Amino acid sequence: MDKTELPWNNPVVEANASAPAARLGQYAQPPLRNFGSIDPYNRISREAKDMIPPPFEYQAPTSVSEALALLGKNPEAKVLAGGQSLIPLMRFRLASPAMLVDLNRIGDLAYIKEGEGWLRIGAMTRESDLDQSDLIAKKYPLLADTTHVVADPLVRNLSTLGGNLAHADPANDHPATMIAYRAQIVATGPKGERTIPASEFFKGPFETALAPNELLTEIRIPAPGKGSGGAYVKMERKVGDFATAAVAVQVSLAKDGTLERVGIALTNVGLVPIQASAAEKALTGKKPDDAVLRQAADLAAKAAKPESDARGSEEYKRALVKTLTVRALRKAVARAQGG
Amino acid sequence: MAAVAIQGLGHPRKRVEDARFIRGKGNYIDDMKLPGMLQVDIVRSPYAHAKIKAIRTDKALAVPGVLAVITGETLKQYNVHNMPTLMSDTQMVLPLDTVKYQFQEVAAVLGTDRYTAADGVAAVEVDYEPLPVVVDPFKALEPGAPKVRDDKESNHIWHWEWGDRAAADKAFDAAEVTVKENIYIPRIHVASIETCGCVAQWNATEGHLTLYMTTQAPHAIRTVVALITGHLGLSEEKIRIVSPDIGGGFGGKVPAYPGYVIAVALSIVTGAPVKWIEDRTENMAADSFGRDYHISAELAGKKDGTLTALRFKTIADHGYTDAAANPSKMPAGLFHIATGSYDFKNAFVEVDGVYTNKPPGGIAYRCSFRVTEAVHTIERMADLMAHEVGLDPADFRMKNFIKPEQFPYKSALGWEYDSGNYAGALQKAMDMVGYKELRKEQAEKRKRGEFMGIGISSFTEIVGAGPSKDFDILGLKMFDSCEIRVHPTGKAIARFGTKSQGQGHETTYAQILAEELGIPADHIKIEEGDTDTAPYGLGTYASRSTPTAGAAAAMAARKVRAKAKKIAAHLLEAAEEDLQWEQGKFFVKGSPDRAKTIQEIAFAAYTNHPQGMEAGLEAVSYYDPPNLTFPFGSYICVVDIDRGTGEVKVRRFVAVDDCGVRINPMIVEGQIHGGLAMGFAPALMEEISYDENGNIHGSNFTDYLLPTAVETPKWETGETVTPSPHHPIGAKGVGESATVGAPAAIANAVVDALWHLGVRHVDIPITPPKVWALLKEHGAALEE
Amino acid sequence: MSTHHIQVKVNGAVKAAEVESRLLLVHFLRESLNLTGTHIGCDTTSCGACTVLWNGRAVKSCTLFAVQADGAELRTVEGLAQDGKLHPIQVGFHEKHGLQCGFCTPGMMMASVALLEANPKPTEDEIRWGLSGNLCRCTGYVNIVKAVQQAAEQMQG
Ligand SMILES: Cc1cc2nc3c(=O)[nH]c(=O)nc-3n(C[C@H](O)[C@H](O)[C@H](O)COP(=O)(O)OP(=O)(O)OC[C@H]3O[C@@H](n4cnc5c(N)ncnc54)[C@H](O)[C@@H]3O)c2cc1C
Ligand code: FES
Ligand code: FES
């Protein structure tokens, strides 16, 4: 149909020459907060359509080097992994990348291997593959716990570990877990590989240490020795919800039963995942009795920087961090003692 | 050949409609594809209140595939920029110059498909000048508050009161004990998994409109469309509404939304079929909501626990226009069922409707017009009073229940309850759950610092609207209808004025007819939803289908039977008085082998009917119920509270329902399961709220929390059967009872768990942070 | 606009098409292939009404681009019945009254099929967790669980 046939295609109201009221002005906007979980969806949906993404160029390289070349040439490009964060954002037109570089056709980015003191996980390994790995279930309970509470089983069939970290949503679950594990993140760029400690990877909400022309290719978790255990305890309002707060704990016990190494990190109680260093320190070298665990949990709660939102008040979330830290510590210690 | 079973009343007949649904062959609105069909998408306001200074459409029109952008001014040329709501208020289809709530329709973009239409929407530029916003109805009533409606005197919409104020006041003055509580029942949304939508198909040659749309009330909508467009020559005979398979309604698909009107307008102007499908955010943020009642409730009683009087004062937040779907004479719906299951001598309720800068509505959330609001309040208050006078909540209820011998019972607020045995239902629930042992366990746990709670809700529902002297919508009396035609071979088709959205009408209506006629249910085809073929009816909501159309089915079948008897008499050469009916046949009294089956009679109706009688075997019934029906039940919920996180875990939930005679026990049970889930959800999870600027929170499923199979409790159900004395088959409605009754059981359980701390009330949804705050306030939060 | 030629196997049949890169898989199935049994219920990857099997995995087809499915094997509700014989999950949903409005049903059944293929004898809790990416507003889930249990038994033979 020719649009000139239609009777009403003249502007109905004269355009206003003066500066239009800011369409995303403060008047209608709540402060941008708690990114991944709530507001991006709400924010954009005011501005544009939900459901229908904007157009983009699509490329599906079959090797990392090809992917890197595409990224190098197209600064506007974005990487597509599981798509379970990126596509929802595009559907709300919060993200409108000019090009998507799809990593799903690169065969050798999905693997779970153990050796030389590390568990090595390819960036494109899907949550459900982690879920089904016997090795992870037996030896990496913190990772198993975490994977099990990320999103829902259908989302987990697509979403990747690499994407979860690279997205750097403060509400994502794996970042804290990787910090607690003292994991290393492997970035591959035009000049080759470099490793970044997880604790230095998350720079801000949706911001990482990755350069635009780098790919996250691998995650390396130190293989836990004897007497190690971990746990992830998450408070969520329902399955598929992001954390109100969550705590990742990884410990190893010395022969005398004292805590030798302790990693504690917190999810969604700050703009980045928070390493509870003071709590870690307070536990190291101590016998893990309940009083000690509580004290450490206090310190973890102090380290949290939650903000009030629909998931609860700042005060509530801080208290929650304490409760969840004690529970995670108990569970991790019990697991360490058991194996 | 084995005889085909009748599958009449009480038979757990497997559903007929499943055949298409399990194969992915349902016909939902978005599945429709007509040749040349275009798609419309809507530009919506980011502001809750603003002047529209300019709408620039040039960029949108430059998008390939975008055909048109229309605004309120466009519609004004045809005088269809406004439409009436079901409560005779006014709602903008598209605004001329101001928007009144966030996500309100601002302009519409017509494209060749949904992608281009969406691109067009993204390219429309609108300049707004924000205006002051009022979202709190109490503030809206204060002098100097921003005025929501330019065409009204103030933000106060109406005042409605019921009962004897003076008598209630007197009873309160004389009371030995009174309790008072402010109860907020928040705004929620039915959130059926299918959103709303339509395909408008204008046939310019014939001047005829077919509107395929997600409506629970096709006939009423046809009349409404005719009212909106009649002045353009689109009168009612030129309109056909077809309601295809509906993916859940729950009340949300009763009203007419602007999108429907826009699609119709665009189809008429372009001559092409136009589809409009909401996305989830539009559905949640702009369609009619449920509840949003601020209730100040008081009960009076004697020291021994006898209730004497009730007073409820309510502020009803209707958003920018009163778009509730209530019977016309009842702006607060059936809120005056507020005395519930108890024998009050005095009661008085009043409600004030208020405008705010929020989406319009006030429809039901799987509930028969404000009944949940009433039931939740009385059941919460009953617990308060029980504790106040030192009675166990169960004993308190037993003491105050209306007794079986008091039925039919005239309530202090004027209803005549048809039948009930409230103590019977509660006792059964208590036995099922093991009430005494639970109380023992609770006491022991409390000593150990563990908090568990047991909550009861003994609700009385009021459904089946309704008797025509009191019930109408826009003047249309709330009867419902059935038309049945028996074919020569003894098979039949029946059509109804209602519209199933999952209730299984195609299955159960056939069972009623099978029972009455002795024709196997499998031989009866049921149709609904097409206004060209179905008899006029008011539709399916408020649990009214069984009480009204179900009754019409029985009545129409009885008319058929009356004619069949005459034919049988002719065939058997006997006097009509000498014939006796036994399911499926007439026989001569005393000689059972002189009989004619209904199939033989049907054949004769077309081949050998008596001289002087009209051929055929058909009947129509428009059933005007003499009264409503009053289903009831008792629910008991057991919760455990996590003192560290504030989480409420529903450990058990026992539901004993009495909906009279059960037509299909399998379907009734399914309705109860679903209703319970929709009672559980608002009790613990669902809420739509707004910040002071009118920004919505809860506009999609990341914020508006629908329970999954993991959160949803494992229901335990039981039944008692107290037939309705006035319904032709003794049935009452059941689709909504559980949604109405469940929230109070859960809330009462939580308060019961925390009572010893001094907690008296908590508003739903009872979220972990709320519970934790209460624990904290009373020094009982566990910071491990 | 970038378009791509894709070829997918849907319910055993090979389909080729030219698709815009941004076309969501769910729209490809519903609108290009007329497989309207796969539904859409949300904008936020929350409801699972759009669940299909993608190379054997249950995924939300509203959050995957059609172009990504190039070369993939897809199964939708329309492919459940074989030679006119219903799949045990379809029988289960029908016999246990696991559906009411039917809108969530195709997604529920596809998620259930994937669940049963991975775990032929799930416990009730495993079923509930396994279906936790799918929302049903009508049934209260009890009968859905029963439907999956019955299908599990039937598939055991
Ligand atoms: C309903 C729902 C619920 C969810 N709940 C949770 C939850 O509870 N907890 C949780 O942690 N997450 C949750 N998520 C998010 C989910 O886990 C995401 O999948 C994850 O955050 C991103 O992984 P992805 O593989 O899908 O990445 P994508 O969405 O493909 O990408 C995300 C971002 O990371 C970038 N990226 C991805 N991979 C790489 C790489 N290898 N190198 C460089 N950059 C890369 C992309 O360019 C993009 O910017 C939920 C998602 C949904 C839809
Ligand atoms: S449509 Fe809701 S998850 Fe895909
Ligand atoms: S049957 Fe209606 S949503 Fe599940």
Side-chain angles (χ1 to χ4, degrees):
Chain A
M1 175 171 311
D2 180 355
K3 51 183 95 167
T4 54
E5 287 169 19
L6 299 173
W8 358 267
N9 278 329
N10 337 321
V12 178
V13 182
E14 269 311 302
N16 180 356
S18 66
R23 297 176 73 207
L24 272 168
Q26 335 125 323
Y27 202 91
Q29 279 320 117
L32 178 60
R33 216 196 300 120
N34 209 355
F35 304 81
S37 6
I38 307 172
D39 283 330
Y41 294 147
N42 265 348
R43 269 181 74 235
I44 358 147
S45 54
R46 292 192 192 114
E47 269 306 276
K49 278 327 286 178
D50 328 314
M51 201 66 211
I52 310 294
F56 56 86
E57 196 71 39
Y58 173 84
Q59 295 287 348
T62 51
S63 71
V64 169
S65 54
E66 227 183 296
L68 289 173
L70 283 164
L71 287 179
K73 266 191 278 176
N74 302 283
E76 296 281 275
K78 252 194 173 306
V79 164
L80 176 67
Q84 302 301 287
S85 289
L86 186 53
I87 298 176
L89 290 181
M90 290 174 65
R91 286 206 318 225
F92 278 88
R93 303 199 178 200
L94 190 64
S96 9
M99 175 189 282
L100 285 188
V101 177
D102 185 355
L103 303 186
N104 286 280
R105 293 186 197 272
I106 302 178
D108 50 2
L109 275 180
Y111 52 83
I112 302 169
K113 291 187 234 177
E114 201 182 30
E116 296 160 32
W118 296 94
L119 174 70
R120 288 141 61 111
I121 303 174
M124 286 300 291
T125 307
R126 307 207 190 259
E127 300 280 357
S128 53
D129 296 326
L130 301 176
D131 239 347
Q132 281 153 25
S133 155
D134 284 338
L135 173 66
I136 289 171
K138 282 205 194 85
K139 212 167 151 186
Y140 297 86
L142 166 58
L143 181 55
D145 281 3
T146 311
T147 299
H148 196 60
V149 294
V150 168
D152 63 51
L154 306 181
V155 169
R156 287 202 293 273
N157 273 332
L158 284 172
S159 63
T160 65
L161 181 57
N164 197 284
L165 298 171
H167 192 50
D169 185 332
N172 274 2
D173 290 300
H174 283 293
T177 290
M178 294 307 151
I179 292 173
Y181 265 132
R182 305 289 187 257
Q184 301 273 345
I185 288 164
V186 180
T188 306
K191 296 200 186 108
E193 280 187 4
R194 63 181 178 122
T195 57
I196 309 162
S199 58
E200 292 164 24
F201 186 74
F202 304 98
K203 296 296 186 196
F206 306 102
E207 232 186 287
T208 67
L210 284 179
N213 60 355
E214 277 182 324
L215 282 180
L216 192 168
T217 46
E218 188 178 273
I219 297 93
R220 294 182 187 158
I221 298 173
K226 253 196 147 5
S228 299
Y232 190 72
V233 179
K234 173 177 176 177
M235 174 74 184
E236 59 182 6
R237 301 173 299 179
K238 57 170 278 193
V239 175
D241 189 22
F242 290 90
T244 305
V247 179
V249 167
Q250 176 69 18
V251 301
S252 54
L253 300 171
K255 285 218 179 66
D256 64 358
T258 57
L259 288 158
E260 195 169 41
R261 267 192 295 273
V262 184
I264 304 176
L266 318 175
T267 298
N268 211 16
V269 285
L271 297 179
V272 289
I274 292 172
Q275 179 171 354
S277 312
E280 293 174 349
K281 217 178 275 162
L283 287 170
T284 312
K286 302 267 170 58
K287 275 232 180 303
D289 58 49
D290 232 45
V292 173
L293 302 189
R294 279 167 208 264
Q295 252 170 15
D298 250 336
L299 293 170
K302 286 212 178 83
K305 298 190 188 84
E307 279 187 52
S308 299
D309 63 15
R311 288 186 172 76
S313 65
E314 184 198 332
E315 186 194 17
Y316 170 64
K317 291 183 183 178
R318 201 179 288 285
L320 202 53
V321 168
K322 189 172 168 198
T323 300
L324 300 182
T325 305
V326 175
R327 291 180 183 176
L329 278 166
R330 281 187 195 140
K331 216 165 160 183
V333 166
R335 283 170 171 168
Q337 288 163 341
Chain B
M1 199 180 74
V4 180
I6 298 291
Q7 301 193 317
L9 293 187
H11 193 280
R13 183 179 186 222
K14 302 280 178 287
R15 296 201 330 164
V16 179
E17 39 277 85
D18 288 1
R20 57 183 188 275
F21 295 145
I22 58 174
R23 290 174 173 84
K25 300 286 183 201
N27 302 299
Y28 301 95
I29 190 70
D30 199 14
D31 303 343
M32 280 199 74
K33 207 176 189 180
L34 298 177
M37 189 171 74
L38 306 174
Q39 184 105 12
V40 64
D41 204 345
I42 294 175
V43 179
R44 291 177 185 270
S45 169
Y47 294 102
H49 196 188
K51 268 232 134 24
I52 298 172
K53 300 187 68 180
I55 301 177
R56 284 186 297 277
T57 59
D58 41 336
K59 284 189 190 141
L61 288 168
V63 173
V66 168
L67 299 167
V69 182
I70 64 165
T71 65
E73 292 290 346
T74 329
L75 295 181
K76 190 166 176 239
Q77 298 166 27
Y78 307 91
N79 198 24
V80 289
H81 56 299
N82 285 330
M83 61 179 193
T85 71
L86 292 177
M87 298 311 288
S88 300
D89 205 336
T90 307
Q91 180 168 6
M92 295 180 232
V93 176
L94 287 175
L96 297 178
D97 55 6
T98 18
V99 283
K100 299 292 185 180
Y101 61 96
Q102 192 182 51
F103 279 106
Q104 186 183 331
E105 297 79 2
V106 171
V109 177
L110 185 68
T112 48
D113 63 69
R114 69 182 82 221
Y115 281 65
T116 50
D119 289 348
V121 164
V124 171
E125 295 172 321
V126 186
D127 296 345
Y128 298 96
E129 179 186 312
L131 295 171
V133 168
V134 61
V135 293
D136 177 340
F138 293 95
K139 288 199 180 133
L141 290 175
E142 283 170 10
K147 207 158 138 245
V148 176
R149 290 281 290 268
D150 312 316
D151 56 336
K152 302 277 173 179
E153 290 289 299
S154 76
N155 293 330
H156 184 249
I157 317 176
W158 40 256
H159 173 83
W160 171 85
E161 57 179 58
W162 207 256
D164 187 336
R165 185 197 293 261
D169 288 351
K170 213 165 121 202
F172 267 87
D173 291 342
E176 294 170 5
V177 194
T178 61
V179 287
K180 178 170 180 173
E181 191 58 66
N182 292 325
I183 296 175
Y184 176 51
I185 304 184
R187 191 176 265 243
I188 52 178
H189 197 285
V190 296
S192 50
I193 304 298
E194 179 198 43
T195 60
C196 296
C198 69
V199 176
Q201 185 181 27
W202 172 247
N203 182 327
T205 319
E206 289 169 21
H208 184 274
L209 172 75
T210 305
L211 180 57
Y212 304 89
M213 66 185 283
T214 48
T215 178
Q216 301 175 221
H219 285 96
I221 286 286
R222 186 184 69 196
T223 305
V224 171
V225 173
L227 289 176
I228 299 173
T229 57
H231 63 283
L232 300 174
L234 188 54
S235 48
E236 201 164 354
E237 83 285 6
K238 295 179 186 145
I239 304 169
R240 174 179 171 215
I241 307 286
V242 180
S243 186
D245 287 329
I246 295 191
F250 313 115
K253 289 170 181 165
V254 174
Y257 295 118
Y260 299 132
V261 181
I262 291 169
V264 168
L266 284 167
S267 179
I268 291 175
V269 177
T270 59
V274 172
K275 186 188 260 192
W276 167 66
I277 302 289
E278 280 174 341
D279 54 44
R280 176 56 58 190
T281 309
E282 295 176 296
N283 175 258
M284 298 296 293
D287 284 4
S288 289
F289 64 90
R291 304 188 186 165
D292 217 346
Y293 259 33
H294 300 259
I295 303 163
S296 174
E298 294 172 282
L299 295 186
K302 298 188 194 154
K303 278 196 199 118
D304 71 353
T306 309
L307 286 166
T308 55
L310 168 156
R311 253 184 340 211
F312 291 176
K313 187 174 168 54
T314 296
I315 297 293
D317 185 342
H318 277 272
Y320 125 81
T321 182
D322 183 358
N326 289 320
S328 304
K329 297 192 189 83
M330 303 173 190
L334 308 183
F335 189 64
H336 38 324
I337 189 67
T339 53
S341 309
Y342 310 105
D343 189 8
F344 281 94
K345 297 287 176 271
N346 300 288
F348 176 73
V349 295
E350 57 185 318
V351 182
D352 288 278
V354 182
Y355 291 127
T356 57
N357 289 116
K358 293 194 263 184
I363 53 143
Y365 171 102
R366 196 171 183 153
C367 146
S368 165
F369 318 120
R370 305 296 191 184
V371 178
T372 312
E373 288 87 328
V375 164
H376 190 71
T377 308
I378 182 63
E379 285 305 301
R380 278 267 48 243
M381 294 306 289
D383 258 38
L384 271 178
M385 184 58 110
H387 280 291
E388 190 67 30
V389 297
L391 282 178
D392 181 280
D395 297 338
F396 174 83
R397 284 177 168 78
M398 292 290 192
K399 184 179 175 77
N400 284 290
F401 277 150
I402 300 159
K403 308 282 178 288
E405 60 275 15
Q406 288 175 275
F407 291 92
Y409 169 85
K410 186 98 178 168
S411 82
L413 291 174
W415 299 113
E416 187 178 295
Y417 292 20
D418 58 348
S419 62
N421 178 2
Y422 301 155
L426 177 54
Q427 192 56 54
K428 179 150 191 187
M430 290 168 71
D431 295 345
M432 279 174 69
V433 82
Y435 190 75
K436 282 222 182 72
E437 299 77 69
L438 284 169
R439 285 283 174 213
K440 233 186 274 163
E441 180 191 344
Q442 180 185 35
E444 280 159 19
K445 285 213 158 129
R446 229 172 238 177
K447 279 188 216 140
R448 297 203 298 270
E450 290 168 38
F451 298 169
M452 72 175 261
I454 305 152
I456 301 175
S457 167
S458 292
F459 64 91
T460 291
E461 253 260 83
I462 172 168
V463 306
S468 59
K469 72 178 168 26
D470 297 323
F471 288 85
D472 68 85
I473 286 185
L474 293 174
L476 302 166
K477 299 296 188 185
M478 294 184 72
F479 58 83
D480 228 295
S481 59
C482 166
E483 179 202 84
I484 172 161
R485 298 182 186 172
V486 185
H487 307 315
T489 53
K491 314 290 191 287
I493 182 166
R495 298 190 172 107
F496 293 79
T498 49
K499 175 65 204 171
S500 180
Q501 313 121 41
Q503 294 89 338
H505 290 173
E506 289 167 53
T507 307
T508 48
Y509 284 160
Q511 289 182 257
I512 299 173
L513 295 169
E515 180 75 23
E516 294 288 338
L517 292 175
I519 298 175
D522 284 350
H523 292 171
I524 305 172
K525 180 173 168 44
I526 303 296
E527 277 185 9
E528 296 178 300
D530 184 338
T531 56
D532 268 11
T533 54
Y536 205 101
L538 271 283
T540 294
Y541 43 86
S543 297
R544 66 186 297 279
S545 297
T546 295
T548 59
M555 300 311 270
R558 287 172 196 179
K559 286 188 192 174
V560 164
R561 220 162 70 194
K563 181 168 182 186
K565 192 173 189 183
K566 289 193 182 4
I567 300 171
H570 162 74
L571 297 175
L572 293 165
E573 294 174 351
E576 250 191 87
E577 312 78 70
D578 293 338
L579 294 188
Q580 195 171 332
W581 171 256
E582 184 191 287
Q583 196 175 57
K585 62 178 183 232
F586 281 105
F587 64 93
V588 180
K589 282 177 199 157
S591 42
D593 22 316
R594 280 186 64 204
K596 286 287 169 193
T597 66
I598 186 77
Q599 287 80 6
E600 290 167 322
I601 296 167
F603 193 67
Y606 296 87
T607 59
N608 178 23
H609 57 287
Q611 286 300 311
M613 180 192 273
E614 286 182 16
L617 195 54
E618 309 184 356
V620 189
S621 167
Y622 290 84
Y623 186 76
D624 179 3
N627 189 6
L628 295 113
T629 67
F630 296 76
F632 60 92
S634 269
Y635 295 168
I636 302 184
C637 171
V638 186
V639 299
D640 294 299
I641 304 231
D642 184 331
R643 290 176 56 193
T645 63
E647 261 177 303
V648 173
K649 178 102 192 114
V650 174
R651 189 204 309 175
R652 293 191 57 196
F653 198 107
V654 166
V656 173
D657 270 279
D658 191 322
C659 57
V661 171
R662 295 186 172 202
I663 301 163
N664 180 326
M666 176 193 83
I667 287 181
V668 168
E669 178 105 348
Q671 290 291 306
I672 292 168
H673 288 163
L676 287 169
M678 282 181 83
F680 166 82
L684 295 182
M685 299 166 75
E686 292 174 11
E687 174 170 20
I688 293 180
S689 59
Y690 294 82
D691 72 10
E692 59 198 26
N693 293 321
N695 293 307
I696 186 172
H697 182 82
S699 63
N700 60 53
F701 291 163
T702 59
D703 302 336
Y704 191 79
L705 306 176
L706 265 53
T708 73
V710 171
E711 293 79 38
T712 306
K714 299 172 188 173
W715 316 112
E716 303 166 55
T717 52
E719 67 177 296
T720 60
V721 177
T722 312
S724 169
H726 64 75
H727 187 277
I729 56 172
K732 302 181 174 183
V734 71
E736 302 165 333
S737 288
T739 301
V740 167
I746 296 169
N748 283 344
V750 174
V751 175
D752 183 65
L754 306 176
W755 186 270
H756 64 293
L757 302 175
V759 173
R760 294 293 172 266
H761 177 68
V762 52
D763 280 331
I764 57 173
I766 307 172
T767 59
K770 264 192 208 169
V771 174
W772 185 84
L774 285 171
L775 290 165
K776 170 99 179 152
E777 183 190 333
H778 294 92
L782 199 66
E783 294 195 10
E784 306 218 33
Chain C
M1 192 166 75
S2 108
T3 63
H4 301 264
H5 185 77
I6 65 167
Q7 189 169 315
V8 288
K9 205 167 178 188
V10 183
N11 302 325
V14 176
K15 307 274 175 187
E18 196 69 22
V19 298
E20 203 189 336
S21 54
R22 64 165 164 166
L23 182 68
L24 296 168
L25 179 59
V26 69
H27 288 138
F28 174 68
L29 291 169
R30 290 178 52 79
E31 285 168 25
S32 312
L33 303 184
N34 288 327
L35 295 171
T36 53
T38 304
H39 298 151
I40 298 171
C42 72
D43 320 330
T44 50
T45 321
S46 310
C47 76
C50 60
T51 306
V52 300
L53 301 192
W54 178 63
N55 295 328
R57 291 171 184 249
V59 300
K60 294 178 172 175
S61 64
C62 68
T63 314
L64 197 69
F65 294 113
V67 44
Q68 289 181 270
D70 187 19
E73 214 176 306
L74 301 171
R75 277 161 73 195
T76 69
V77 62
E78 288 91 347
L80 281 179
Q82 293 291 324
D83 307 323
K85 196 169 168 289
L86 293 179
H87 187 284
I89 198 70
Q90 293 172 302
V91 176
F93 269 75
H94 175 57
E95 291 188 350
K96 294 297 175 189
H97 189 29
L99 65 151
Q100 291 182 21
C101 79
F103 201 75
C104 71
T105 311
M108 280 287 176
M109 291 195 301
M110 296 318 287
S112 303
V113 166
L115 173 75
L116 291 175
E117 284 174 3
N119 178 3
K121 281 188 189 171
T123 63
E124 166 157 7
D125 279 352
E126 284 168 345
I127 295 170
R128 285 179 179 263
W129 276 96
L131 297 181
S132 61
N134 299 76
L135 296 173
C136 175
R137 198 58 162 161
C138 299
T139 64
Y141 300 107
V142 176
N143 290 343
I144 290 180
V145 172
K146 288 186 190 153
V148 179
Q149 284 167 333
Q150 168 173 321
E153 273 165 37
Q154 245 192 49
M155 285 163 78
Q156 302 280 305

